[in-house]
Amino acid sequence: NEVDIIGSALGLEKIGWIVTETNNDTVLSEKQVRFAAKMQEEFAVKHSTGYPVSKFLTIVMRQDAKNQAEVKPEVYMISDQGQVLEREGLFVNSEKRKFMRIRESTGRTDLIPNFMANNKEGKEFEPEFLLVNVAHGSSGNKFAVVKHSEFPVENRSGNATKNDLKEYFKLMKRYSGHVKYADFHLLLYLFRVLDLDTVFHIAESVFNERPISDSIEL
């Protein structure tokens, strides 16, 4: 789709998914852990040793429990064990968002491993047992390909209009050349109103920091 096309032209790649969360009762819910495990399996890549490994991240944007105006990012991956348990169909839907649940055996030949959590054997355990905390940070806007975020966001307040485009370029008049086009949602909008080759050229110019053709300049 257009997101993948523009992302590719900007030299970007999918590295994960983002969850917005207001709850603080658990790091990730049972459903979120299972979905993340599925995504890690789907987007696994082949390691130099020949084994498939995942680099797919789960980013949680959570309100601070004491200061709701503050939102902090948290980054996790599901452990290899959790990924395999989901892949092999050992999880079943749990009625409790704070607990993973292992299915029952279907017969003598269906062997289900025993699970220990908090020194107890059982079929339920907290999602935190399957989470791996990933160190994260920001390199700052200086090294970012996408330098602006002023254009209306695609899925927040309806579709952007020509007037939004006009107002955006008024705001960007202090920037020249490719720099003023370095807004991902601007490029998504242009994808809808211009031909693919033109938008791809603009995105590549942003990535390579090179001038945009005078015939394209908006």
Side-chain angles (χ1 to χ4, degrees):
N1 60 25
E2 62 266 30
V3 173
D4 292 325
I5 292 171
I6 292 171
S8 175
L10 291 171
L12 303 176
E13 61 179 305
K14 291 178 182 176
I15 62 169
W17 67 307
I18 294 179
V19 180
T20 55
E21 186 63 82
T22 57
N23 291 316
N24 288 278
D25 57 343
T26 185
V27 179
L28 285 174
S29 71
E30 171 261 350
K31 287 183 172 59
Q32 290 168 340
V33 167
R34 293 190 63 189
F35 182 80
K38 290 176 183 176
M39 291 298 98
Q40 287 185 197
E41 187 70 25
E42 180 178 343
F43 290 98
V45 297
K46 183 173 286 189
H47 190 267
S48 58
T49 59
Y51 292 97
V53 296
S54 182
K55 298 181 180 179
F56 199 83
L57 304 173
T58 295
I59 298 96
V60 183
M61 303 298 292
R62 192 191 313 275
Q63 283 183 323
D64 187 270
K66 297 181 179 179
N67 180 13
Q68 294 190 352
E70 186 174 3
V71 178
K72 296 180 179 180
E74 306 165 11
V75 185
Y76 305 98
M77 288 187 73
I78 308 305
S79 66
D80 291 345
Q81 182 186 41
Q83 189 174 324
V84 171
L85 290 172
E86 178 62 33
R87 184 188 69 200
E88 299 301 320
L90 292 180
F91 287 131
V92 291
N93 291 333
S94 174
E95 296 179 356
K96 308 171 187 176
R97 68 186 302 273
K98 295 194 291 183
F99 286 92
M100 310 298 300
R101 183 160 184 81
I102 301 297
R103 67 174 177 83
E104 298 292 339
S105 173
T106 58
R108 293 178 60 185
T109 59
D110 183 30
L111 301 180
I112 304 295
N114 295 323
F115 287 85
M116 295 288 296
N118 298 321
N119 296 319
K120 296 180 181 180
E121 183 177 336
K123 295 291 185 180
E124 289 186 335
F125 56 89
E126 291 89 344
E128 284 82 354
F129 282 99
L130 301 177
L131 298 184
V132 178
N133 204 331
V134 180
H136 59 283
S138 174
S139 60
N141 194 51
K142 178 181 178 181
F143 300 102
V145 175
V146 178
K147 299 184 181 299
H148 308 297
S149 57
E150 283 76 15
F151 197 79
V153 178
E154 192 76 8
N155 59 350
R156 297 291 171 81
S157 57
N159 293 329
T161 65
K162 290 183 178 180
N163 188 60
D164 291 318
L165 184 66
K166 182 178 179 181
E167 292 301 316
Y168 173 82
F169 281 116
K170 280 184 180 179
L171 189 64
M172 294 290 120
K173 63 183 179 181
R174 66 182 184 275
Y175 298 103
S176 61
H178 65 275
V179 179
K180 61 185 176 184
Y181 290 90
D183 185 304
F184 197 86
H185 287 279
L186 166 69
L187 295 173
L188 286 178
Y189 173 79
L190 294 179
F191 191 94
R192 298 206 316 266
V193 299
L194 301 175
D195 62 275
L196 173 60
D197 290 339
T198 298
V199 179
F200 200 82
H201 169 79
I202 294 173
E204 282 192 322
S205 297
V206 170
F207 174 62
N208 294 303
E209 299 185 341
R210 69 188 184 197
I212 293 173
S213 171
D214 292 338
S215 61
I216 295 177
E217 190 81 22
L218 300 180

